[in-house]
Amino acid sequence: MDTSTGSADASALLAAEYSALIDNALDLMVVHDGAGRILRVNAAARALLGYEPEELAGRHYTDLLDPGQHAEARAIEASLHGDCPERTDVALRVRRKDGSVIQMASAARWSASHRRMFVTARDVTGQQQAREALLRSEAALGSMLESIGDAFFAIDSNWRLTYANRKAAAFVGVDAAESIGKPLLEVAPDLQHSPSLPRYQRAMQTRQADAFEVFWEPGQVWIEARVYPHADGISVYFHEITAKREAEHALKKSEQRFRKLFNQAGDSVMIVDGALRIVSVNDRACARFGYSRDEFLGMLATDVNFGFPEGRALLAGLRAGQAQLLRTDKRCKDGTSFPAEVQISRFDDEGEEYFLAVIRDLSDRAEAERQLRESERRFREVIEMTPAGYLLAGRDGALQDVNPALCALSGYPREMLLALRLDDLFVSCPLPTLDVWDAGPATVQGVEAVLQHRHGYHIHVLFNGSIKRDDEGRALSLTGLMTDITGRKAAENRLQELATHDTLTGLPNRALLGERVQQMLDAAPYGSSVAVMFLDLDRFKEVNDSFGHESGDVLLCEVASRLRKVIRPTDIIARLGGDEFVVAAHCATGQAAAARIADKLLDVLTAPIAVGGIDVIVGASIGISMYPQDAQTRELLFQTADTAMYRAKNSGRNRYRFFEPEMTVATRERMALEVSLRPALARGEFELHYQPRYALDGMALIGMEALIRWNHPERGQVSPQQFIGIAEETGLIVPIGRWVLREACARTRRLMDDYGTRVMVSVNVSARQLAQPGFAAEVCAALADSGLPPACLELELTESALIEDIEHTASMLRELKRLGIRIAVDDFGTGYSGLAYLRRFPIDVLKLDRSFVTQQDENVSTFDFVKAFVDMAHALNMEVVAEGVETQEVCDFLRAARCDQAQGYYLARPMRLGQLRALVGSQPPPKEG
């Protein structure tokens, strides 16, 4: 029998099991060499750090550490290489792939024989945060809650202990500090079988306060508990009442048991005769005052009092059967004193008059009151210094208190504000009426409101409010805090305006035009006509070439202004882009009415326009399509009007033409292009060009955008603008896009291998591709076949692709994100989507259209707008890439606005693969970590 073979098989099996154990471990396991280069990482890196294990191979371990800990890490490494080859107490701040920092507890061992460092680590961020929460809780509540007479603890809605004072901790025999954050039943397991637990559970569920007495079996004591629900759990006050219950029982049976209860009372008790001689005291009195019982029996009650009132009125009240409650100071044997609450009652014993005085030491209460006053003083200081506006309003809505920040926000001095009501100060308020106060929610968080400034203008604020109610639920007062968000609202409104309007002329853009034309068609009465007119300026290109783009922009603005003046309020005018405008109008008399409108448009456009000090006449070619005669859908109206416009331009310009069915030459031309497009992929007629992308901080090359080009065998190079639309409509974009994706991944992988550098490639994805159920699998296959790391691939989507099928898109993007790739939105702000969609999709990058940084606006400066846009994106954990950067000034401007990356002709034009390789080869090598 060959035992060596069996031994080898067993060793292999054992090695496989060890490998599976390591890769399935929840803790991070790392092996690196003596130089600190990572050799192997187990699969836990994916969950803990966001990296695939192979992404970390070859990197220096300090790449994963917070930069501020590098020196400490190297010192630890040196000790491990020296006289201390093993450490189990290393705390590290580790930076995850997404940039967030987590706290990890790690252990390390240096094997000199293997020349390897073996490290294990686990995420203790949650534990660290819990400890910090404990410290804050102790700092805020400790002084007050430790001074109250009762034992106190609080738990959250998850039944975890959030606070316990020393009395509560001692009651169950635990350390208060060590118990915070633990489940209640873990701290006090005896509660599981105690009648107290159902009462706590009911208070947690019903949100109703409760009070009860219960026997505590483990300590054989009776306690009185009071339970108060709060926003996230319950608070419990309790104290032992065993003595009281036993005293009640003892009083019924015998004087001996009464004496025992008398001596065990928690308060000092004295019995004084009619001559104010002390005839009896309990043990508590002896302990508190410092006198023995024999010493007390020779004293008068006045001997331990400071100014105790002995007037006839007091005696008369007592003799009338009225107990008296006094607040005074008591003197001890050692000369010290303490504040006390004294309840005095009179009783007769066999005809003799006696007075019973129960003396409660108020030292703890006085200290608590002092701390409360100090807390109120600090609260007042905080309110006065906080930058948020603060108000307190009574039930009638009148302002009772304000802080300086609200005075500055509203423009009113304090005296004037306190003379106002809520409805005087607010244009809209989230808690406007008493009905809402009494029946609505007790708090509102992060609700927008509008404040009326003293000078009349409106200020948008973010309002947080809390209503104080009495025990019957009746509102007593409103406390509110608010911060000014007027600037943010202006930026949001501007973003919305830019999303639906042309930034140059202020006219509706293509997205808004489509909505309004559809509304016009839906509202058109039966038998009526709607004209859609496409206008293309005849000499705009000449003006642009002769006078420059700025003069061209002046011309476009003047054209827009003239068109506005001649159309009716019910008509629609929009700019599609470039020198193309669209007018849509109801035409009661059909073509005749449309012709009159077209004549007016030509008249205003043939009048001279001053450009660069010279009068020019641009004129226009107008194509007109009539609904429902020429087309019955919005899309066909646009298409037929566009066809008619080209016929007008080909007919001599500066005229209009109505659509006629024979205007199909352009359509046939387009069909010919489609016929050529179908076999283009199989014939290898496509190639990719690449436009580099740079980080604005340091101007390092970080990647490139892959751009498709078609080398037609007869037409030469065909512009993507000519064939991409055809590919989209015919579905050819799916195989073409698949080729682009695989080609870009393969070329980028080879580029990285040849030059030893890491770059990212950005690939455009159409709505058609995104709609394919197997698109994520195609991306996965392209990455696997090319060997390109997922983090080096970025997919660019248009806004229209995002919202074509929102639910499918969100699901597909989440599936793509799980692969580890990046998602970018191209030309953000120029399409159809709204800001709300940014939170629906897992987007990494927003690509800012060039129009946002090249146009000026009289209301919001370009810098302020772009800065607000970048800040918004950063707040959503997204990067911003500016497109179309053509000057150094724009580059500097974007850097000042904290924009992350840029691409454009100033930085680099799209280039062939050979040029890209030369560019990458000329880059300096990456710095060592």
Side-chain angles (χ1 to χ4, degrees):
M1 181 177 181
D2 189 354
T3 59
S4 62
T5 302
S7 175
D9 292 341
S11 297
L13 177 60
L14 183 60
E17 289 176 346
Y18 283 161
S19 179
L21 177 64
I22 292 171
D23 282 336
N24 286 282
L26 298 179
D27 289 346
L28 182 68
M29 297 185 180
V30 182
V31 179
H32 66 75
D33 60 20
R37 295 292 175 183
I38 296 174
L39 301 177
R40 185 179 177 188
V41 183
N42 70 340
R46 186 181 302 110
L48 295 177
L49 304 181
Y51 288 98
E52 294 296 330
E54 57 269 19
E55 290 182 85
L56 297 176
R59 298 180 62 175
H60 198 275
Y61 73 89
T62 55
D63 292 348
L64 301 177
L65 300 184
D66 185 89
Q69 208 173 11
H70 283 183
E72 179 185 352
R74 294 189 185 281
I76 293 173
E77 181 184 9
S79 70
L80 288 167
H81 283 288
D83 57 355
C84 184
E86 181 176 340
R87 291 283 297 271
T88 61
D89 57 345
V90 181
L92 299 175
R93 296 187 299 278
V94 178
R95 187 175 299 276
R96 289 170 46 86
K97 183 176 181 180
D98 60 8
S100 62
V101 177
I102 61 174
Q103 190 78 23
M104 301 196 80
S106 62
R109 172 178 292 173
W110 168 249
S111 172
S113 60
H114 294 90
R115 304 298 297 171
R116 296 288 186 267
M117 186 77 73
F118 299 89
V119 182
T120 62
R122 65 176 49 184
D123 185 359
V124 295
T125 305
Q127 300 173 17
Q128 183 71 17
Q129 292 172 346
R131 286 194 292 271
E132 293 172 357
L134 280 175
L135 293 176
R136 290 194 298 271
S137 174
E138 290 174 353
L141 299 175
S143 61
M144 181 179 72
L145 295 179
E146 289 296 340
S147 64
I148 62 177
D150 287 350
F152 169 81
F153 70 89
I155 58 175
D156 62 20
S157 58
N158 293 320
W159 293 88
R160 290 187 177 274
L161 198 66
T162 59
Y163 186 82
N165 66 3
R166 287 191 296 271
K167 294 178 182 178
F171 188 78
V172 294
V174 298
D175 183 271
E178 295 178 357
S179 301
I180 302 302
K182 294 182 178 179
L184 178 63
L185 292 179
E186 181 179 328
V187 177
D190 292 324
L191 270 175
Q192 182 71 55
H193 307 292
S194 169
S196 301
L197 184 59
R199 304 294 288 262
Y200 297 160
Q201 292 171 334
R202 182 167 53 190
M204 184 77 81
Q205 294 170 356
T206 63
R207 316 307 299 163
Q208 297 294 322
D210 193 11
F212 57 92
E213 296 180 1
V214 67
F215 185 71
W216 180 247
E217 188 73 27
Q220 294 294 299
V221 295
W222 284 89
I223 61 171
E224 180 183 18
R226 302 186 305 281
V227 187
Y228 300 98
H230 53 78
D232 187 35
I234 57 173
S235 298
V236 180
Y237 297 80
F238 69 93
H239 59 273
E240 182 182 342
I241 59 169
T242 306
K244 184 181 78 170
R245 292 179 66 97
E246 290 179 351
E248 292 171 351
H249 184 66
L251 283 171
K252 296 177 182 179
K253 289 190 175 183
S254 68
E255 175 64 22
Q256 179 182 4
R257 304 189 87 176
F258 165 78
R259 175 58 56 188
K260 183 178 180 180
L261 174 63
F262 180 74
N263 284 324
Q264 290 179 348
D267 296 326
S268 300
V269 182
M270 294 183 181
I271 298 178
V272 180
D273 64 14
L276 300 184
R277 292 187 300 268
I278 298 174
V279 297
S280 182
V281 295
N282 67 350
D283 293 341
R284 175 62 179 167
C286 295
R288 186 66 187 90
F289 284 88
Y291 294 102
S292 68
R293 184 171 278 104
D294 291 338
E295 289 174 320
F296 263 126
L297 296 181
M299 299 171 59
L300 296 174
T302 55
D303 293 336
V304 295
N305 295 336
F306 274 119
F308 186 83
E310 302 178 60
R312 294 180 179 179
L314 174 63
L315 291 174
L318 291 169
R319 287 166 179 163
Q322 300 172 354
Q324 303 292 316
L325 183 64
L326 305 176
R327 184 82 177 261
T328 184
D329 289 337
K330 292 293 183 179
R331 181 189 295 115
C332 298
K333 181 179 181 179
D334 61 4
T336 61
S337 62
F338 63 91
E341 184 179 78
V342 184
Q343 182 167 343
I344 308 174
S345 59
R346 178 187 174 279
F347 67 93
D348 288 326
D349 185 10
E350 298 181 355
E352 293 188 27
E353 182 179 53
Y354 291 95
F355 300 97
L356 175 67
V358 180
I359 304 166
R360 173 161 291 182
D361 186 352
L362 299 181
S363 299
D364 289 346
R365 185 190 301 178
E367 176 61 19
E369 290 174 351
R370 185 196 67 77
Q371 292 180 3
L372 179 60
R373 289 192 299 272
E374 179 66 18
S375 176
E376 290 175 347
R377 182 188 65 78
R378 290 196 299 268
F379 170 77
R380 186 76 245 170
E381 290 177 353
V382 170
I383 288 298
E384 291 295 318
M385 293 187 296
T386 182
Y390 159 81
L391 63 80
L392 174 66
R395 178 175 174 81
D396 59 357
L399 298 182
Q400 298 176 350
D401 192 15
V402 295
N403 69 344
L406 184 60
C407 295
L409 189 63
S410 65
Y412 290 97
R414 177 182 175 85
E415 295 74 15
M416 293 183 69
L417 273 178
L418 294 180
L420 299 179
R421 300 169 57 86
L422 286 174
D423 51 6
D424 297 326
L425 183 61
F426 286 94
V427 177
S428 68
C429 178
L431 298 171
T433 64
L434 290 177
D435 293 338
V436 176
W437 288 22
D438 286 337
T443 61
V444 293
Q445 297 289 330
V447 177
E448 293 187 7
V450 180
L451 198 71
Q452 178 81 31
H453 193 272
R454 180 184 181 186
H455 297 309
Y457 57 85
H458 292 173
I459 298 174
H460 293 267
V461 297
L462 203 62
F463 185 89
N464 296 322
S466 175
I467 296 172
K468 181 180 179 181
R469 296 193 174 109
D470 59 20
D471 294 339
E472 298 177 354
R474 187 172 181 268
L476 301 175
S477 63
L478 167 69
T479 301
L481 288 171
M482 65 208 76
T483 54
D484 187 357
I485 60 170
T486 306
R488 192 191 80 186
K489 292 292 292 184
E492 288 177 356
N493 292 337
R494 181 57 179 158
L495 281 172
Q496 184 63 30
E497 177 74 12
L498 290 171
T500 58
H501 288 76
D502 174 46
T503 57
L504 177 63
T505 63
L507 294 176
N509 62 10
R510 185 184 300 272
L512 188 55
L513 169 68
E515 293 177 9
R516 291 190 175 176
V517 168
Q518 188 61 55
Q519 293 169 2
M520 181 179 285
L521 298 182
D522 294 341
Y526 178 78
S528 65
S529 296
V530 174
V532 173
M533 306 181 185
F534 270 43
L535 288 77
D536 187 87
L537 303 183
D538 290 335
R539 302 186 61 194
F540 177 72
K541 186 175 185 305
E542 298 176 23
V543 173
N544 241 7
D545 294 343
S546 302
F547 298 97
H549 291 289
E550 291 187 4
S551 296
D553 290 347
V554 171
L555 174 63
L556 291 173
C557 291
E558 177 61 22
V559 168
S561 176
R562 292 187 180 188
L563 295 178
R564 284 193 187 98
K565 292 177 182 178
V566 297
I567 66 170
R568 298 166 299 186
T570 56
D571 296 339
I572 299 171
I573 178 173
R575 180 185 174 215
L576 298 185
D579 59 349
E580 292 184 337
F581 296 83
V582 175
V583 172
H586 285 287
C587 296
T589 58
Q591 284 195 357
R596 287 193 294 272
I597 296 173
D599 287 331
K600 289 181 180 180
L601 298 177
L602 290 177
D603 286 343
V604 297
L605 294 180
T606 53
I609 299 176
V611 177
I614 299 175
D615 288 343
V616 298
I617 298 175
V618 291
S621 299
I622 304 176
I624 307 173
S625 179
M626 301 298 296
Y627 168 86
Q629 297 92 326
D630 299 327
Q632 297 186 4
T633 67
R634 178 186 65 190
E635 291 76 12
L636 285 177
L637 277 171
F638 290 167
Q639 180 180 333
T640 50
D642 192 37
T643 300
M645 183 271 291
Y646 278 107
R647 176 58 64 90
K649 188 174 287 290
N650 293 334
S651 299
R653 303 191 178 190
N654 198 34
R655 63 191 65 204
Y656 61 84
R657 291 291 301 269
F658 286 93
F659 174 76
E660 299 172 1
E662 62 270 15
M663 295 178 179
T664 57
V665 176
T667 303
R668 288 196 295 270
E669 174 68 18
R670 188 178 180 281
M671 291 178 62
L673 201 60
E674 179 183 335
V675 170
S676 300
L677 182 62
R678 290 188 179 277
L681 183 60
R683 295 173 179 173
E685 296 174 3
F686 295 116
E687 70 171 329
L688 293 185
H689 287 195
Y690 302 87
Q691 185 169 25
R693 199 161 97 190
Y694 292 86
L696 286 170
D697 182 9
M699 297 309 294
L701 174 68
I702 62 170
M704 59 278 182
E705 180 178 359
L707 304 169
I708 190 170
R709 297 292 186 264
W710 182 14
N711 297 315
H712 194 284
E714 298 173 359
R715 301 171 181 262
Q717 193 167 93
V718 180
S719 168
Q721 285 76 13
Q722 292 180 268
F723 70 86
I724 290 297
I726 299 174
E728 288 273 6
E729 294 177 15
T730 59
L732 292 172
I733 194 66
V734 174
I736 292 175
R738 187 183 303 118
W739 175 84
V740 171
L741 176 64
R742 299 184 70 87
E743 178 75 3
C745 289
R747 297 297 186 184
T748 304
R749 174 74 261 186
R750 179 167 297 180
L751 193 70
M752 293 169 58
D753 292 341
D754 290 348
Y755 294 101
T757 187
R758 186 182 182 89
V759 292
M760 178 185 64
V761 65
S762 182
V763 177
N764 291 279
V765 175
S766 74
R768 277 287 189 95
Q769 290 177 268
L770 199 63
Q772 299 296 311
F775 179 65
E778 290 182 8
V779 175
C780 186
L783 291 171
D785 293 345
S786 64
L788 184 69
C792 292
L793 175 61
E794 177 179 280
L795 299 184
E796 285 191 25
L797 308 170
T798 62
E799 293 185 72
S800 58
L802 282 178
I803 66 171
E804 187 166 291
D805 184 345
I806 294 174
E807 295 304 325
H808 172 78
T809 300
S811 175
M812 180 61 72
L813 292 187
R814 286 193 293 270
E815 188 174 356
L816 291 171
K817 284 295 294 178
R818 284 194 288 270
L819 297 178
I821 66 173
R822 291 160 55 89
I823 305 297
V825 178
D826 196 14
D827 298 333
F828 178 77
T830 62
Y832 298 84
S833 73
L835 295 177
Y837 293 121
L838 293 182
R839 300 180 65 88
R840 298 244 2 221
F841 304 122
I843 297 169
D844 302 292
V845 177
L846 295 181
K847 300 195 75 173
L848 186 62
D849 187 71
R850 68 180 299 274
S851 61
F852 289 168
V853 297
T854 58
Q855 304 297 338
Q856 297 294 326
D857 184 89
E858 61 183 9
N859 296 319
V860 180
S861 73
T862 302
F863 178 81
D864 289 340
F865 169 73
V866 173
K867 183 66 166 61
F869 180 93
V870 172
D871 289 345
M872 177 200 69
H874 287 172
L876 295 173
N877 293 322
M878 300 178 189
E879 297 178 3
V880 179
V881 178
E883 297 182 295
V885 176
E886 298 182 358
T887 65
Q888 178 65 49
E889 291 76 13
V890 171
C891 195
D892 294 340
F893 156 78
L894 291 169
R895 187 179 295 109
R898 295 180 61 243
C899 184
D900 302 292
Q901 302 167 22
Q903 65 185 73
Y905 283 5
Y906 172 74
L907 301 171
R909 292 176 177 269
M911 59 185 65
R912 295 180 184 274
L913 180 63
Q915 295 171 292
L916 178 66
R917 291 178 60 84
L919 176 63
V920 173
S922 67
Q923 298 297 305
K927 295 181 179 180
E928 292 293 329

